[in-house]
């Protein structure tokens, strides 16, 4: 029977996570440390392993993730304290954690529940899953490369017109610009896997036929501003995403190509990758509009979901 | 006034005023040729946006300035640029920031405002990560700094 495995040393936190994950109806197994978790995985079939970010300091963490991956389980890390935020570069550098949830309660509970439900239901796509019922999503199709600038400016105006701060509008502009730019220029691949538009100048006009068109949707439910960008190539893969996110190293980088995803990640509160290989890539950026920067952890969550065929 | 893509350049006094979006069309490195007496002064108060390609161009400009032994002064650096200066160390070059905008919020009336900080007058306090006190333009209450000082002021430490 599929289950969810929690690895956490603190009994109270184990109980909190068990309550959150138990609502899925799946059996929830608990272990106090990574070794116990590895042994447990020999007897259970977890779809998801949830461990605390502090585990990244353990020498057994790589073995644990290897076991989890061999079992077909997705790895989810939660950061329950601000001290754990310091471990984010290390976690990203491991390239094994497909889900990192950094926000304190109650946001963590929401993020964890959505993560688990998406995995259980194999229903990955759509920003609606992150927004409250009734939230209207505005949709635009990008049919020309030069449309990006107008779209981004229009998004900023609309976000401001809906009462959001200049800071939120600025974050939205950056995220939308980078995601659309990636979808127009980096997503298209030919049969040999060559990204044939990646080297084109970004200010060169491109007419986009149906295959090359990019969809952007956005909406706000007064908790999150969600920006969703979809291409219909599905060329982005899990390892490329994890490598791009790990460019912390964005701090030392020279800017430009390959930095778009890393910048988008650092400019929002939660970045979600929904990958259907060969069919479509959907990236959803969530910007927290409830809490000022001083009430949030200085790290962002991410999820990398891959559609299973 | 000169327009490059969505960015405008306007000479005013000893400074070049940049406004709008810095992106792939900005060709910032060409500004090096506009330096006078070994100085390039950029007023960035009107910059509303910079993307990753604009960042790359910005870094090229900084590198070209260092190569030409130019002194670069950045005035009224807008928040979107401060975020990039904090995130990507290479964007800082050898530039000297004399003033910048920073986020403040009023606990009394809830107003959020981007306010100008003089980095020269407040240098000692900023080193200690102490944001200067600001008054709310709406209700005159004292405003609180609306970010983590250790994060927002990190670009000043290089």
């Amino acid at each position: 029977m599929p289950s969810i495995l929690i690895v956490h040393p603190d009994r109270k936190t184990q109980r909190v996570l068990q309550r959150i994950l138990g609502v899925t109806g799946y059996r929830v197994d608990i272990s106090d440390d990574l070794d116990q978790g590895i042994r447990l995985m020999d007897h259970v079939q977890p779809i998801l392993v949830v461990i605390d970010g502090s585990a990244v300091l353990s020498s057994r963490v790589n073995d644990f993730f290897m076991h989890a991956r061999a079992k077909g389980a997705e790895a989810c890390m939660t950061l329950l304290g601000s001290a754990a935020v310091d471990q984010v570069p290390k976690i990203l550098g491991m390239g094994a954690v497909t889900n990192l949830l950094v926000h304190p309660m109650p946001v963590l509970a929401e993020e964890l529940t959505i993560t688990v439900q998406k995995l259980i239901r194999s229903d990955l796509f759509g920003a609606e899953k992150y927004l409250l019922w009734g939230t209207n999503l505005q949709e635009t199709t990008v049919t020309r490369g030069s449309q990006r600038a107008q779209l981004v400016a229009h998004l900023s105006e609309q976000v401001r017109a809906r009462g959001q701060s200049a800071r939120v509008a600025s974050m939205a502009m950056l995220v939308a610009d980078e995601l659309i730019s990636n979808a127009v220029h980096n997503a298209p691949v030919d049969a040999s896997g060559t990204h044939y538009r990646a080297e084109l100048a970004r200010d060169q006009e491109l007419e986009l036929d149906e295959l090359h068109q990019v969809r952007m949707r956005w909406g706000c439910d007064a908790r999150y501003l969600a920006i969703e960008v979809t291409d219909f190539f599905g060329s982005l893969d899990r390892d490329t995403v994890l490598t791009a996110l790990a460019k912390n190293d964005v701090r030392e980088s020279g800017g430009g190509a390959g930095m778009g995803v890393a910048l988008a990640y650092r400019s929002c509160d939660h970045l979600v990758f929904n990958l259907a290989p060969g069919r479509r890539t959907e990236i959803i950026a969530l910007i927290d509009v409830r809490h000022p920067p001083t009430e949030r952890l200085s790290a962002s969550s991410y999820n990398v979901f891959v559609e299973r065929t | 006034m000169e327009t490059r893509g969505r960015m405008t350049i306007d000479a005013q006094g000893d400074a070049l005023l940049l406004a709008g979006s810095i992106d792939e069309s900005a060709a910032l490195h060409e500004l090096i040729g506009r330096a006078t007496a070994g100085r390039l002064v950029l007023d960035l108060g009107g910059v509303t946006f910079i993307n990753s390609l604009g960042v790359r161009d910005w870094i090229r400009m900084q590198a070209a300035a260092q190569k030409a032994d130019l002194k670069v002064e950045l005035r009224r650096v807008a928040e979107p640029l401060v975020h990039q200066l904090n995130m990507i160390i290479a964007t800082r070059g050898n530039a000297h920031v004399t003033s910048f905008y920073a986020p403040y919020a009023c606990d009394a009336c809830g107003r959020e405002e981007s306010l100008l900080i003089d980095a020269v007058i407040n240098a000692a306090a900023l080193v200690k990560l102490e944001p200067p006190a600001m008054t709310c333009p709406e209700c005159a209450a004292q405003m609180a700094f609306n970010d983590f000082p250790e994060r927002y002021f990190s670009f000043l430490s290089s």
Side-chain angles (χ1 to χ4, degrees):
Chain A
M1 179 193 175
S3 64
I4 297 166
L5 172 62
I6 297 168
V7 182
H8 203 286
D10 177 62
R11 194 51 52 90
K12 189 176 174 190
T13 306
Q14 288 176 355
R15 288 203 169 96
V16 171
L17 291 173
Q18 190 172 21
R19 279 182 206 125
I20 294 169
L21 296 168
V23 298
T24 60
Y26 277 52
R27 197 182 74 211
V28 178
D29 296 305
I30 294 175
S31 60
D32 296 328
D33 56 46
L34 294 173
D35 276 325
Q36 196 183 358
I38 290 170
R39 287 196 300 275
L40 200 54
M41 272 192 275
D42 290 336
H43 306 286
V44 297
Q45 193 70 41
I47 58 156
L48 180 74
V49 293
V50 179
I51 72 175
D52 185 64
S54 58
V56 78
L57 299 171
S58 163
S59 59
R60 298 287 280 149
V61 71
N62 287 324
D63 288 342
F64 179 85
F65 283 131
M66 275 172 56
H67 265 77
R69 204 165 179 196
K71 282 281 192 175
E74 291 292 336
C76 177
M77 268 198 171
T78 57
L79 301 185
L80 297 168
S82 53
V85 169
D86 297 339
Q87 303 305 326
V88 170
K90 201 165 180 179
I91 293 166
L92 287 167
M94 290 168 57
V97 179
T98 45
N99 304 274
L100 176 69
L101 306 177
V102 304
H103 300 128
M105 297 291 182
V107 179
L108 179 68
E110 294 169 15
E111 291 183 342
L112 201 48
T113 304
I114 296 167
T115 298
V116 176
Q117 292 292 358
K118 285 177 70 165
L119 286 170
I120 289 173
R121 295 165 183 242
S122 297
D123 177 8
L124 307 182
F125 292 90
E128 290 87 347
K129 294 178 176 64
Y130 296 89
L131 298 168
L132 292 174
W133 177 82
T135 305
N136 185 31
L137 286 164
Q138 309 285 316
E139 180 173 332
T140 309
T141 300
V142 183
T143 57
R144 284 175 294 112
S146 61
Q147 215 179 327
R148 171 169 52 97
Q150 302 153 24
L151 262 178
V152 166
H154 182 66
L155 172 66
S156 172
E157 286 164 17
Q158 290 294 303
V159 168
R160 290 291 279 151
R162 293 180 188 201
Q164 299 304 323
S165 68
R167 182 186 62 82
V168 168
S170 172
M171 290 162 82
M173 285 176 84
L174 182 57
V175 166
D177 186 278
E178 299 296 347
L179 296 185
I180 294 171
S181 184
N182 255 333
V184 170
H185 286 89
N186 293 335
V189 284
D190 60 21
S192 67
T194 303
H195 293 262
Y196 52 87
R197 285 188 169 165
E199 300 304 323
L200 293 181
R202 301 290 159 123
D203 53 359
Q204 179 183 326
E205 180 60 298
L206 284 174
E207 293 291 337
L208 307 177
D209 61 23
E210 199 171 333
L211 177 63
H212 291 85
Q213 287 175 1
V214 169
R215 187 180 75 183
M216 183 181 90
R217 299 196 304 156
W218 71 276
C220 185
D221 67 356
R223 300 178 313 141
Y224 287 120
L225 170 69
I227 299 164
E228 175 199 286
V229 174
T230 304
D231 73 67
F232 297 94
F233 281 90
S235 60
L236 194 59
D237 61 61
R238 168 193 181 279
D239 291 343
T240 303
V241 171
L242 293 177
T243 304
L245 291 174
K247 282 188 176 167
N248 174 37
D249 326 0
V250 82
R251 283 174 63 80
E252 311 290 349
S253 81
M259 248 186 52
V261 168
L263 270 188
Y265 172 54
R266 282 159 183 81
S267 302
C268 69
D269 294 283
H270 191 159
L271 197 58
V272 181
F273 296 84
N274 295 320
L275 312 177
R279 292 198 303 111
R280 68 169 151 161
T281 298
E282 178 185 276
I283 306 180
I284 302 166
L286 300 168
I287 298 169
D288 187 332
V289 300
R290 276 177 294 191
H291 304 107
T294 47
E295 290 176 20
R296 305 206 303 267
L297 295 180
S298 57
S300 304
S301 299
Y302 69 80
N303 295 100
V304 185
F305 296 105
V306 182
E307 191 175 67
R308 295 178 191 224
T309 49
Chain B
M1 190 191 300
E2 183 186 339
T3 303
R4 294 182 187 181
R6 292 176 289 159
M7 183 187 82
T8 60
I9 307 169
D10 199 7
Q12 202 168 91
D14 64 344
L16 293 176
L17 268 65
L18 307 190
S21 297
I22 300 177
D23 58 19
E24 57 274 19
S25 313
L28 289 175
H29 54 282
E30 293 174 6
L31 296 179
I32 295 302
R34 314 264 292 258
T36 50
R39 276 177 83 226
L40 179 65
V41 182
L42 301 179
D43 183 313
L44 303 163
V47 173
T48 53
F49 173 72
I50 180 168
N51 65 9
S52 60
L53 295 160
V55 167
R56 183 171 62 181
D57 201 22
W58 176 273
I59 292 169
R60 268 194 215 148
M61 177 193 73
Q62 292 274 31
Q66 279 179 258
K67 198 173 170 189
D69 205 22
L70 289 179
K71 286 194 167 67
V72 179
E73 180 185 332
L74 307 180
R75 289 180 189 162
R76 302 196 317 131
V77 185
E79 284 190 43
L81 268 170
V82 171
H83 289 303
Q84 297 302 332
L85 292 171
N86 283 330
M87 236 185 315
I88 303 168
I89 291 169
T91 57
R92 301 175 198 172
N94 280 344
H96 179 50
V97 176
T98 53
S99 58
F100 62 94
Y101 284 91
Y104 279 80
C106 179
D107 282 340
C109 72
R111 180 173 174 137
E112 292 182 5
E113 196 74 37
S114 191
L115 297 174
L116 188 64
I117 294 179
D118 188 317
V120 178
I121 292 172
N122 296 291
L126 292 171
V127 167
K128 289 186 274 182
L129 303 176
E130 292 170 1
M134 295 285 185
T135 304
C136 177
E138 192 167 326
C139 72
Q142 182 158 334
M143 296 185 96
F145 190 68
N146 200 20
D147 205 329
F148 296 109
E150 61 274 23
R151 181 170 65 191
Y152 198 84
F153 297 150
S154 65
F155 72 99
L156 294 169
S157 62
S158 61

